[in-house]
Amino acid sequence: MNSNIKQHYTNALLICININKERDFAELVEEGVELVNSAQYNLLHTLTANKASADPKYFVGSGKLEEIKSLCAGLNIKAVIINHNLTSTQERNLGKALNLDVIDRTGLILNIFASRVKSNEGILQVELAKQTFLYTRLVNRWTHLERQRGATGTVGGAGEKQIELDKRMIRDTIQSLKTRIDQAVKQRATQRKRRAKMDMFSISIVGYTNAGKSTLFNALTKSKVYVENRLFATLQTTSRSMYLSSEKEAVISDTVGFVRDLPHALVAAFRATLEETVHADLLLNVVDISQVLKERQIEDVKEVLNEIDAGAIPSIIVYNKIDLKSEELERIEYNNDGEPVAVYLSALNQLGLDVLKQAILEKMAYIKHTLTKQVLVY
């Protein structure tokens, strides 16, 4: 990934290829457009096509490549963004063929994270993701990697390849970043132990990016966490206390949002931030009820939660933005065992917040009852 890419209104072309005719392709294109806009590119054109499989050399076929060249010349395009993850070979070949910056989906999201993150730990985590991504792309990345450097103080011999020196440098940087992040993790672990001693129930808000997580967090805690109607507006975990009733208090955390096929490098790098999620007693999976693909988004979030070992934590699905669906009312949904599994509300209009608190209290009681039964059985 080119770290020198200008992110402020650079003319861009977005390419979305429908491989194997996915039924939700239109929604994937829409998400790609939102990602490009979030990265502050000046999106001039979105090119779509159907293809049975990705071309191993250019990702797109030779005919489509010529069309892309023509579009880039005619529209004065400076960056070509592919709404898919490319191999290092595909990215390198496309860049050479077009003589332009080529950014794939992982690179685009990394750019967004790098431009938005503000906390010291977040900066470290983004840099870790970038270095990890770069390490996987090192082969075939630069032409100078084929050169060999002779060993100092010796006569003759091939010496050590430049690629090995670069790889070692990046490995050292990654190790240094991990060490610094581990220190932050230990500090949060100390804070969690302190809360555990106080018998504080811990809740984490998770969900698809732009589903209204931060709006819900602000409504529940009377906070002013930054909220914006675009992808990845929130990149660092924020925790606050909240009252569920006059007697019961809990700690609730707002976390980074997820998207479909969230790059593994980012999941790994932000695992430290998501530790609040891993150690939570309850997860609130916020879903934009107005989204056509809401069920798919719920599964995407579950996939990431499984990846960070948080899949088994009790959860409540929070269907947000019922103000956009006139037929929906604030309510709690239960399963056949009487366990609250979903809540319908509008965080923006503060409709259903008391219903959510009631559902959380009932869920807490259900969890406690279930744990008691397990202990008795054991």
Side-chain angles (χ1 to χ4, degrees), residues 306-330:
N306 285 331
E307 196 167 341
I308 64 171
D309 301 322
I313 298 173
S315 64
I316 295 175
I317 296 176
V318 178
Y319 289 106
N320 189 26
K321 306 185 184 182
I322 61 169
D323 52 298
L324 301 179
K325 305 279 283 186
S326 58
E327 71 276 12
E328 294 292 354
L329 299 174
E330 51 189 271

Side-chain angles (χ1 to χ4, degrees), residues 98-216:
L98 300 173
N99 195 27
L100 289 169
D101 287 320
V102 172
I103 306 106
D104 74 349
R105 184 180 172 86
T106 296
L108 180 63
I109 295 175
L110 278 171
N111 280 346
I112 296 171
F113 275 45
S115 67
R116 297 273 184 84
V117 70
K118 292 181 174 63
S119 69
N120 290 333
E121 185 182 351
I123 291 170
L124 291 174
Q125 289 169 333
V126 169
E127 186 59 28
L128 174 60
K130 288 172 66 177
Q131 292 294 327
T132 303
F133 180 66
L134 182 59
Y135 186 81
T136 62
R137 295 276 169 117
L138 199 52
V139 178
N140 299 325
R141 170 52 89 182
W142 299 296
T143 56
H144 79 273
L145 295 183
E146 298 304 320
R147 297 199 306 269
Q148 292 185 334
R149 178 186 301 174
T152 303
T154 62
V155 178
E160 187 175 24
K161 283 187 177 182
Q162 181 65 39
I163 188 172
E164 293 303 327
L165 296 175
D166 288 331
K167 286 172 70 175
R168 183 185 303 160
M169 182 176 66
I170 294 175
R171 281 198 302 266
D172 291 344
T173 301
I174 288 173
Q175 188 55 52
S176 174
L177 289 167
K178 286 182 175 180
T179 299
R180 294 167 69 184
I181 290 171
D182 284 345
Q183 292 173 351
V185 171
K186 289 177 182 177
Q187 290 176 351
R188 273 203 308 278
T190 301
Q191 293 171 351
R192 279 196 299 270
K193 287 179 182 178
R194 191 178 301 121
R195 292 201 299 262
K197 287 181 180 179
M198 298 170 63
D199 194 28
M200 291 283 280
F201 193 79
S202 175
I203 303 168
S204 274
I205 300 177
V206 299
Y208 224 73
T209 185
N210 218 23
K213 301 184 308 303
S214 295
T215 302
L216 178 61

Side-chain angles (χ1 to χ4, degrees), residues 192 201-206 255 258 271 274-285 301-302 304-317 339-341 363-364 366-367 371:
R192 279 196 299 270
F201 193 79
S202 175
I203 303 168
S204 274
I205 300 177
V206 299
T255 62
F258 305 147
R271 192 183 183 93
L274 294 170
E275 287 232 339
E276 289 297 330
T277 300
V278 175
H279 294 280
D281 298 305
L282 176 67
L283 304 180
L284 301 181
N285 185 352
V301 171
K302 286 181 179 178
V304 176
L305 291 174
N306 285 331
E307 196 167 341
I308 64 171
D309 301 322
I313 298 173
S315 64
I316 295 175
I317 296 176
E339 175 188 7
V341 292
K363 191 81 168 187
M364 288 168 62
Y366 184 89
I367 293 169
L371 289 174

Side-chain angles (χ1 to χ4, degrees), residues 14-29:
L14 174 65
I15 298 172
C16 302
I17 306 298
N18 189 2
I19 298 174
N20 292 328
K21 295 183 179 180
E22 293 196 56
R23 286 180 297 176
D24 55 355
F25 180 64
E27 286 73 21
L28 290 176
V29 174

Side-chain angles (χ1 to χ4, degrees), residues 34 41 53 93 153 188 279 284:
E34 288 187 31
Y41 286 99
S53 60
N93 290 339
R188 273 203 308 278
H279 294 280
L284 301 181

